[in-house]
Amino acid sequence: MATEAHAAEGATGYIIHHLTPLSVGSGFWTLHLDTLFFSALLGGLFIWFFKSAADKATAGVPGLAQNFVEMMIEFVDTQVKDSFHGTSKLIAPLALTIFCWVFLWNFMDLFPVDILPSIGAVMGIPYLRSVPSTDLNATFAMSISVFALIIFYSIKIKGPIGFAKELLLQPFGPWFMPFNLLLKLVEEIAKPISLALRLFGNLYAGELIFILIALLPSYLQPLLSFPWAIFHILIITLQAFIFMVLTVVYLSMAHEHH
């Protein structure tokens, strides 16, 4: 029994260690340094790769990088044309940035769970979480940024009076202003919350499954980790796509006049 208790304690400690971020500060002012580092690193990688492909673009036979970038731009442009019904030069670049950045966040979950923390331990870093989308701070930061754009465009396109009328007069008219406002606030606040929690929940669950697989006997790990990794590729791509499409849809709604 003592051996089983010790093994359970070791497994619990292993899981807690892998789910603990490298942080400084306390309370509201806590900063997760690993999330900030990997977010900036992956964002920089996205910018460098696309800029490098653009600089080397040719009208002749394109290289692999140019082919990939053109395919991504065409894919995102198609989604924007299908979902966005307003006029804005920002939406397509924003959608491309969100899809690629969130995908890169999610892709970090495919690294073996012990590799980067072990490298960090050698460098004297006690905790290291390398998947920004498993951190609520990152997913909420992204979704709140989208929410700020929704409010900005709602006011810009409809005007302050038009936006106020939308908040107060719909859907039940002027006699139910308080109820209209309550419904509208719930509807609007649900947008960033659903965006953040959907991405966080799916990636957190995926990370936890990888950690649990790593606790299994070594002869079982390849049998389970490889199929899960293949399936997880679909999840990380789908979650990046959903975040992008919902962002475009919400911004399209902000451009609509009622």
Side-chain angles (χ1 to χ4, degrees), residues 147 150-151 154-155 158 162-172 176-192 249-250 252-258:
F147 182 64
I150 293 172
I151 300 302
S154 293
I155 297 175
K158 302 164 187 174
F163 181 58
K165 287 182 178 179
E166 186 177 88
L167 290 177
L168 297 172
L169 303 181
Q170 295 181 13
F172 299 116
F176 295 91
M177 283 188 183
F179 189 61
N180 292 336
L181 179 61
L182 177 62
L183 287 179
K184 189 63 177 178
L185 289 178
V186 170
E187 176 187 344
E188 294 300 322
I189 293 174
K191 292 176 182 177
V249 170
Y250 291 155
S252 179
M253 293 169 60
H255 281 72
E256 292 176 357
H257 289 278
H258 297 282

Side-chain angles (χ1 to χ4, degrees), residues 210-242:
F210 277 123
I211 293 173
L212 293 175
I213 291 174
L215 287 169
L216 295 174
S218 58
Y219 64 88
L220 286 177
Q221 291 179 18
L223 297 176
L224 296 175
S225 61
F226 181 73
W228 176 247
I230 296 299
F231 177 68
H232 203 56
I233 291 174
L234 300 177
I235 294 176
I236 66 176
T237 306
L238 180 62
Q239 290 306 312
F241 176 77
I242 290 173

Side-chain angles (χ1 to χ4, degrees), residues 53-250:
D55 291 341
K56 297 177 182 178
T58 174
V61 179
L64 289 176
Q66 182 178 340
N67 268 329
F68 176 78
V69 169
E70 289 178 353
M71 180 183 69
M72 290 300 304
I73 292 175
E74 184 177 352
F75 166 73
V76 171
D77 189 55
T78 300
Q79 301 306 316
V80 171
K81 288 179 179 177
D82 290 342
S83 304
F84 184 75
H85 307 297
T87 302
S88 175
K89 296 181 179 180
L90 172 70
I91 304 302
L94 175 66
L96 177 66
T97 301
I98 287 177
F99 178 79
C100 293
W101 202 12
V102 172
F103 177 82
L104 290 174
W105 281 7
N106 299 347
F107 187 82
M108 296 299 292
D109 210 13
L110 296 177
F111 281 85
V113 295
D114 289 321
I115 286 185
L116 293 177
S118 297
I119 295 174
V122 171
M123 299 171 63
I125 300 173
Y127 301 103
L128 189 66
R129 294 186 67 184
S130 59
V131 189
S133 42
T134 60
D135 186 348
L136 265 177
N137 293 278
T139 59
F140 263 109
M142 181 79 81
S143 65
I144 289 172
S145 299
V146 171
F147 182 64
L149 287 173
I150 293 172
I151 300 302
F152 171 77
Y153 277 109
S154 293
I155 297 175
K156 178 182 178 182
I157 300 300
K158 302 164 187 174
I161 296 177
F163 181 58
K165 287 182 178 179
E166 186 177 88
L167 290 177
L168 297 172
L169 303 181
Q170 295 181 13
F172 299 116
W175 299 105
F176 295 91
M177 283 188 183
F179 189 61
N180 292 336
L181 179 61
L182 177 62
L183 287 179
K184 189 63 177 178
L185 289 178
V186 170
E187 176 187 344
E188 294 300 322
I189 293 174
K191 292 176 182 177
I193 292 177
S194 63
L195 279 175
L197 292 182
R198 181 185 294 107
L199 178 59
F200 165 77
N202 281 277
L203 271 295
Y204 188 88
E207 181 187 39
L208 187 57
I209 290 175
F210 277 123
I211 293 173
L212 293 175
I213 291 174
L215 287 169
L216 295 174
S218 58
Y219 64 88
L220 286 177
Q221 291 179 18
L223 297 176
L224 296 175
S225 61
F226 181 73
W228 176 247
I230 296 299
F231 177 68
H232 203 56
I233 291 174
L234 300 177
I235 294 176
I236 66 176
T237 306
L238 180 62
Q239 290 306 312
F241 176 77
I242 290 173
F243 203 107
M244 176 195 72
V245 169
L246 288 179
T247 297
V248 174
V249 170
Y250 291 155

Side-chain angles (χ1 to χ4, degrees), residues 19-36 127 129 135-138 141:
L19 296 180
T20 302
L22 178 66
S23 59
V24 294
S26 60
F28 179 79
W29 301 108
T30 301
L31 296 176
H32 292 178
L33 299 180
D34 41 13
T35 297
L36 293 172
Y127 301 103
R129 294 186 67 184
D135 186 348
L136 265 177
N137 293 278

